[in-house]
Amino acid sequence: PQILFFLLAPSIIFIFLKNIWISENFSILEQHFFLMGIFIGCEGIKKLLRHILQLMFFNKSTALLEIASISLYCSILWIRYLLGYQFTLVSLITPFIISSLLSIFGIVYIMNNFYKQLSSENIDYKASLPTWKKIGYTRILISINQITRSLFSTNILIPLSSALLGFLEVARISFI
């Protein structure tokens, strides 16, 4: 359910903003809604896959991927700045999407290599397994929790606020 939400995030953001926040600033938001949706989707999928990788006890690989992702993002930003480009909403979010996508590909690569090493023999597991009803109920609760956390995290509130209020006001709010 979470992956479906993250894939539909651009459309959900557009519908939400168009129906709730109708103002003269909507045209600015309308121009960037798809980019913000991709931003949320990539980060959500990356977070989900990162948790799976951590549950597989690949903590060192996870940490190295995160360090590489942050380093790549900062490098892209500063190289663009040194080449004379100004910071805009698009120039801040696009490198983040690129680094998130590369992290997702890295996580999938590590998971695929691990999957190839697994045995194809059936293992007779005698412990009691949870029922499908319990698994489904747990997944629904986890999905609601993740969606709520994604919608009200600073990853979405700061770009939306900067589009509405401007970078100066968001900087003041973020500093406080």
Side-chain angles (χ1 to χ4, degrees), residues 29-95:
L29 290 174
E30 189 174 315
Q31 295 170 4
H32 303 299
F33 84 93
F34 190 71
L35 194 60
M36 288 183 207
I38 292 173
F39 172 72
I40 294 168
C42 286
E43 275 303 297
I45 291 171
K46 178 179 143 186
K47 181 179 178 184
L48 179 70
L49 293 175
R50 186 178 66 223
H51 284 302
I52 292 171
L53 205 60
Q54 288 171 342
L55 289 173
M56 294 167 49
F57 299 107
F58 282 96
N59 296 326
K60 184 177 181 180
S61 300
T62 306
L64 291 174
L65 274 172
E66 287 299 311
I67 291 169
S69 176
I70 291 169
S71 299
L72 177 67
Y73 175 69
C74 292
S75 299
I76 292 172
L77 281 183
W78 286 111
I79 288 170
R80 283 183 51 84
Y81 180 74
L82 293 174
L83 292 175
Y85 293 100
Q86 297 295 320
F87 290 123
T88 63
L89 187 61
V90 173
S91 71
L92 292 173
I93 292 178
T94 304

Side-chain angles (χ1 to χ4, degrees), residues 12-23:
I12 292 169
I13 289 174
F14 178 71
I15 292 168
F16 176 75
L17 292 176
K18 191 163 189 157
N19 292 332
I20 304 298
W21 288 345
I22 298 175
S23 69

Side-chain angles (χ1 to χ4, degrees), residues 114-133:
F114 177 75
Y115 179 74
K116 288 178 182 177
Q117 295 174 358
L118 293 177
S119 173
S120 61
E121 297 177 17
N122 288 339
I123 299 172
D124 188 21
Y125 188 72
K126 296 185 181 191
S128 64
L129 297 174
T131 64
W132 285 106
K133 184 178 179 181

Side-chain angles (χ1 to χ4, degrees), residues 158 161-176:
I158 289 179
S161 300
S162 65
L164 285 172
L165 304 172
F167 286 124
L168 182 63
E169 291 298 320
V170 172
R172 288 181 190 155
I173 294 169
S174 297
F175 185 70
I176 294 173

